[in-house]
């Protein structure tokens, strides 16, 4: 496939920045496009609050194109934002991918296959996948408890790089709700196919203003990844600059 005379790769390709470290042995954080875009909002919050460094971009023919102005700085300094971006935290050996556009309908399996190939080639040690579930399908016990749940892929038991979610009071997703993962097909495919330990952190929610769900998921993820100590109550997450326009541009009340 050629665009403006440039041959595009047929598989996922990582365009690494000059400051990109070797990622072998690191943990990978991924969002899933699901109800309320909670996973993507959580990644936004992690990038902003822990000052993650952009180390490159990914290209996939299976993700819808998206491009815009700087999403991470309030002064809009003009840094290009694209549909698949890669960030890192060198101190904790954490790599974070932000997915800013949906996967093309019918291409989730193809996207998952090439994503797994990139994960294998890069030699990541574990994956934390941030997702969400539709709250309208909860049962009574789920309504009366925290909306956060987790799922462990079979090989995730004893994963050293990601703390056990139950250590901070998050409950495993009940068996009766397991079929709800079909709402977001990427988690389902990765659970079945991941070659390395995989933890899915998911949140029951409804469509609307899901920024609080994103913040809550990000806070839980920060504990699991070792960004924060569970005994500390000092974490104060702030809203990323890009969230200012989630509901459009505000108009002066003088107009009304």
């Amino acid at each position: 496939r050629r665009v403006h005379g440039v041959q595009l790769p047929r598989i996922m390709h990582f365009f690494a920045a000059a400051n990109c470290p070797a990622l072998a042995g690191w943990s990978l954080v991924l969002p899933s496009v699901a109800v309320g875009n909670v996973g993507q909002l959580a990644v936004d919050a992690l990038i902003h609050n822990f000052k993650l460094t952009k180390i490159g971009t990914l290209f996939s023919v299976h993700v819808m194109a998206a491009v815009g102005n700087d999403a991470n700085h309030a002064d809009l300094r003009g840094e290009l934002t694209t549909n698949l971006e890669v960030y890192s935290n060198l101190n904790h050996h954490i790599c974070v991918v932000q997915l800013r556009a949906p996967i093309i309908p019918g291409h989730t399996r193809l996207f998952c296959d090439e994503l797994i190939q990139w994960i294998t080639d890069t030699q990541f040690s574990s994956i934390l996948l941030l997702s969400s579930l539709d709250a309208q399908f909860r049962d009574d016990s789920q309504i009366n408890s925290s909306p956060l749940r987790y799922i462990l892929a079979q090989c995730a038991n004893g994963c050293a790089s990601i703390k056990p979610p139950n250590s901070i009071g998050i409950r495993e997703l009940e068996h009766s709700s397991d079929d709800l993962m079909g709402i977001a097909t990427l988690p389902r495919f990765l659970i079945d196919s991941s070659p390395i330990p995989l933890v899915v952190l998911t949140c029951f929610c409804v469509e609307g203003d899901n920024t609080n769900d994103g913040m809550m998921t990000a806070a839980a993820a920060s504990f699991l990844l070792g960004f924060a100590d569970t005994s500390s109550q000092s974490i104060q997450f702030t809203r990323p600059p890009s969230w200012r326009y989630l509901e459009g541009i505000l108009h002066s009340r003088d107009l009304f």
Side-chain angles (χ1 to χ4, degrees):
R1 181 185 176 189
R2 288 182 174 271
V3 175
H4 301 300
V6 177
Q7 181 67 45
L8 298 180
R10 295 183 178 180
I11 60 173
M12 180 174 287
H13 185 77
F14 179 42
F15 295 93
N19 63 339
C20 181
L23 301 174
W26 287 33
S27 294
L28 176 65
V29 180
L30 294 168
S32 173
V33 179
V35 184
N37 301 103
V38 172
Q40 294 156 296
L41 292 171
V43 167
D44 270 346
L46 290 173
I47 292 170
H48 173 67
N49 285 277
F50 294 104
K51 311 302 180 187
L52 302 188
T53 303
K54 186 175 179 180
I55 58 170
T57 59
L58 286 165
F59 174 82
S60 171
V61 297
H62 306 299
V63 178
M64 292 185 180
V67 65
N69 200 353
D70 196 330
N72 300 316
H73 303 96
D75 58 3
L76 299 177
R77 60 190 63 175
E79 183 175 330
L80 192 67
T81 295
T82 59
N83 57 356
L84 273 170
E85 298 180 323
V86 185
Y87 297 82
S88 74
N89 180 285
L90 189 59
N91 293 334
H92 293 86
H93 289 182
I94 304 294
C95 179
V96 177
V97 172
Q98 177 59 299
L99 178 62
R100 299 189 184 279
I103 300 168
I104 296 172
H107 287 233
T108 303
R109 167 53 74 183
L110 296 172
F111 175 76
C112 184
D113 288 344
E114 65 177 15
L115 178 62
I116 288 175
Q117 186 60 55
W118 177 66
I119 289 169
T120 302
D121 292 344
T122 308
Q123 299 179 15
F124 288 110
S125 63
S126 58
I127 304 169
L128 177 63
L129 181 65
L130 307 179
S131 189
S132 52
L133 294 170
D134 196 329
Q136 68 175 319
F137 295 107
R138 292 176 296 173
D139 59 28
D140 290 344
S141 66
Q142 292 166 336
I143 292 173
N144 294 317
S145 63
S146 165
L148 293 174
R149 292 291 188 275
Y150 74 90
I151 301 171
L152 298 180
Q154 185 174 359
C155 59
N157 293 313
C159 174
S161 55
I162 300 176
K163 297 178 182 178
N166 58 9
S167 68
I168 57 172
I170 300 176
R171 293 165 54 179
E172 188 170 10
L173 183 65
E174 294 81 358
H175 179 72
S176 60
S177 303
D178 188 58
D179 59 331
L180 296 180
M181 288 305 296
I183 295 176
T185 51
L186 181 60
R188 172 66 70 188
F189 284 149
L190 283 176
I191 287 172
D192 293 339
S193 308
S194 176
I196 59 177
L198 168 68
V199 178
V200 180
L201 178 62
T202 189
C203 177
F204 284 109
C205 68
V206 295
E207 291 280 2
D209 181 355
N210 296 99
T211 53
N212 287 336
D213 300 313
M215 288 287 200
M216 176 173 55
T217 303
S222 70
F223 292 137
L224 302 184
L225 295 167
F227 283 136
D229 185 347
T230 56
S231 64
S232 172
Q233 302 300 319
S234 62
I235 300 177
Q236 297 294 326
F237 277 83
T238 59
R239 295 166 64 92
S242 59
W243 290 10
R244 289 183 300 173
Y245 305 114
L246 282 178
E247 298 178 0
I249 299 174
L250 298 179
H251 299 284
S252 171
R253 296 184 66 86
D254 294 339
L255 294 173
F256 308 102

